[in-house]
Amino acid sequence: MAPGFPVPLQGLVGLLLLCALPWTEGGKVLVIPVEGSHWLSMRDVLTELHARGHQIMVVAPEVSIYIKKEDFFTLKTYAVPYTNQGYKRTITHNFNLVFETRNYVKTFFKLSKFLKNISTTVLKSCRNLLHNETLLRHLNSSSFDVVLTDPVLPCGAVLAKYLRIPTVFFLLYLPCDIDSEATQCPNPSSYIPSLLTRLSDHMSFLQRVKNMLYLLPLKYLCHITFTPYESLASELLQRQVSLVEVLNHASVWLFRKDFVFDYPRPILPNMVFIGGINCANRKPLSQVCIEAINILCRIYFLLLTFLLVF
């Protein structure tokens, strides 16, 4: 890959322009990011948008590990009910669970508790954003041309629907096939393997059954995880809405995937694969990272087995 920004990133900027930004002058982009690697991937896109003359405002919680003020965007923060020290301690302390190998069952329950705590923390942050009337009035009067957000945590998607602004989703993956439901894109389980099943696009009958059963516990987990966001959206929009309806508001879906690594699947014209846009500086994975990924996969399979049995 050539140095600098690869071609897919240029295409990504073009898509953003096609969505809503004027051709003759810089537009105004509202960014609702997600903490961690989600933000680090999106940051490269914002750098390029700024270089092309667009004004960028990033709305983020005042407590964050990676999202900091920089000279190529305006950072607007909102208050959250937890401290910076407590947030960092929660993240770093529980991250060490990934490297535990002695007892997978014990590690699974510890990780489940950790994920529940993180979900509660993120939901509190979202609630504070959507209940911040002063900030909402400011955003509503700022005449943004487009919203860029990662729907893996749908708070940004809820806000974009409330503001009635064209939206671009920048994501890697959504669990439970919610993306297929929201885009109304066909997703036949007969030849599209689910994530981490280790199946191919050529499956026997029993493998297809496994692929379908695999989604059942995920649907249950997603119902528990995303139902609170549906309640927040219904409260903000003052009518009953589902998560699928909220996500359906997106104009373009930018998936950080590529068919080099994923099996072919049906896509719609507004679903664009942009895998590799943040891989200009490539480094091989260390043995520690590889081992951590293997451990996570084992725990994940254990979780699915547990849910299917009980």
Side-chain angles (χ1 to χ4, degrees):
M1 187 175 292
F5 285 101
V7 174
L9 183 54
Q10 297 172 358
L12 164 58
V13 175
L15 282 169
L16 288 173
L17 292 172
L18 286 172
C19 285
L21 303 183
W23 286 100
T24 57
E25 59 182 4
K28 300 178 68 175
V29 185
L30 174 62
V31 180
I32 315 294
V34 175
E35 180 70 273
S37 60
H38 306 272
W39 162 250
L40 298 178
S41 298
M42 185 179 288
R43 182 182 176 277
D44 291 339
V45 178
L46 303 187
T47 304
E48 182 70 7
L49 286 173
H50 173 75
R52 293 172 180 251
H54 302 299
Q55 302 175 42
I56 303 169
M57 176 181 286
V58 175
V59 176
E62 61 182 6
V63 174
S64 176
I65 296 177
Y66 294 104
I67 306 173
K68 305 297 180 183
K69 184 177 180 180
E70 300 192 53
D71 58 1
F72 59 89
F73 63 80
T74 301
L75 179 62
K76 192 79 172 177
T77 61
Y78 56 92
V80 288
Y82 47 85
T83 64
N84 193 35
Q85 292 78 9
Y87 182 65
K88 286 184 177 180
R89 183 166 55 250
T90 300
I91 297 295
T92 55
H93 172 72
N94 289 277
F95 183 75
N96 294 328
L97 292 173
V98 175
F99 298 96
E100 291 188 8
T101 58
R102 295 180 180 178
N103 190 323
Y104 288 117
V105 176
K106 188 176 181 180
T107 301
F108 159 70
F109 284 107
K110 286 183 178 179
L111 276 176
S112 298
K113 184 178 179 180
F114 165 60
L115 292 174
K116 182 178 180 180
N117 292 337
I118 289 295
S119 298
T120 302
T121 300
V122 172
L123 184 62
K124 289 179 180 178
S125 173
C126 182
R127 183 177 289 110
N128 276 35
L129 170 60
L130 299 181
H131 288 176
N132 191 325
E133 296 182 2
T134 302
L135 178 57
L136 292 184
R137 283 196 299 268
H138 173 71
L139 297 178
N140 211 6
S141 62
S142 296
S143 301
F144 287 103
D145 297 296
V146 67
V147 174
L148 178 64
T149 186
D150 189 329
V152 68
L153 293 176
C155 194
V158 173
L159 181 58
K161 187 171 181 63
Y162 169 76
L163 296 175
R164 299 180 180 180
I165 302 175
T167 307
V168 175
F169 284 164
F170 183 85
L171 70 156
L172 177 63
Y173 169 77
L174 282 181
C176 324
D177 295 333
I178 299 178
D179 50 343
S180 297
E181 293 183 42
T183 57
Q184 300 182 10
C185 180
N187 186 38
S189 57
S190 58
Y191 72 90
I192 299 180
S194 300
L195 186 68
L196 298 179
T197 57
R198 301 183 182 181
L199 298 173
S200 71
D201 56 346
H202 291 78
M203 292 178 275
S204 65
F205 174 76
L206 291 179
Q207 288 174 329
R208 292 176 182 178
V209 172
K210 173 187 174 182
N211 197 43
M212 295 182 66
L213 292 177
Y214 180 86
L215 291 174
L216 296 181
L218 288 181
K219 293 281 188 182
Y220 173 73
L221 289 176
C222 286
H223 174 74
I224 295 176
T225 303
F226 291 124
T227 296
Y229 291 97
E230 292 183 343
S231 301
L232 283 176
S234 299
E235 180 182 347
L236 183 65
L237 299 173
Q238 297 183 349
R239 63 182 180 86
Q240 192 67 34
V241 294
S242 65
L243 179 62
V244 171
E245 182 182 349
V246 170
L247 297 179
N248 186 255
H249 175 71
S251 303
V252 177
W253 294 65
L254 302 175
F255 290 91
R256 300 196 310 274
K257 289 183 173 186
D258 195 283
F259 284 144
V260 173
F261 298 104
D262 293 282
Y263 290 105
R265 51 170 290 187
I267 60 173
L268 297 180
N270 67 334
M271 301 169 65
V272 184
F273 284 66
I274 55 169
I277 66 165
N278 58 328
C279 297
N281 300 318
R282 295 164 295 181
K283 294 181 181 179
L285 287 176
S286 66
Q287 191 60 39
V288 175
C289 289
I290 294 174
E291 182 63 26
I293 292 172
N294 289 334
I295 293 172
L296 281 174
C297 288
R298 293 168 190 167
I299 294 174
Y300 190 71
F301 280 119
L302 181 62
L303 168 63
L304 294 178
T305 303
F306 177 83
L307 291 174
L308 283 173
V309 172
F310 296 98

